[in-house]
Amino acid sequence: KVDRDMTVSLQLAWDDHCILQLNDGAPLDMGKNTAFGKKTISVPVKKGDNTVTVTLSNTTGRNHGGWAFTFKCVDPMGQIILPESHN
């Protein structure tokens, strides 16, 4: 959730293959990583709630069989935006 439209920096680390989707945008193939390699991308977010969907495979790598990842979102001023779960 953000208070205005902006571009944020998303940092993810994962093992094997990752697909990221933000809101209703097209899925973004983040590629394959081994040993929880990280990747940082800039993405636009809209004022209010934003939905981030992370889809992982895990058939190879050090965490074989587990779907673990790290996620960090930072606004243009360097403030971390904490995710909220909407179950």
Side-chain angles (χ1 to χ4, degrees):
K1 182 181 248 184
V2 294
D3 62 359
R4 68 186 190 290
D5 292 353
M6 66 177 81
T7 298
V8 298
S9 175
L10 294 183
Q11 182 184 89
L12 287 100
W14 68 95
D15 198 31
D16 208 359
H17 195 195
C18 177
I19 305 289
L20 177 76
Q21 185 174 10
L22 181 63
N23 297 318
D24 294 329
L28 176 61
D29 189 336
M30 299 289 285
K32 290 189 175 188
N33 269 340
T34 58
F36 291 92
K38 70 179 176 180
K39 187 172 191 177
T40 303
I41 60 171
S42 294
V43 295
V45 293
K46 60 183 175 68
K47 179 180 179 178
D49 290 334
N50 290 270
T51 301
V52 177
T53 304
V54 178
T55 304
L56 301 169
S57 67
N58 201 358
T59 57
T60 61
R62 294 184 183 203
N63 189 33
H64 180 73
W67 294 298
F69 68 97
T70 64
F71 174 88
K72 182 179 180 183
C73 181
V74 180
D75 74 12
M77 302 302 291
Q79 296 294 315
I80 295 174
I81 300 170
L82 297 175
E84 299 174 12
S85 177
H86 296 281
N87 293 332

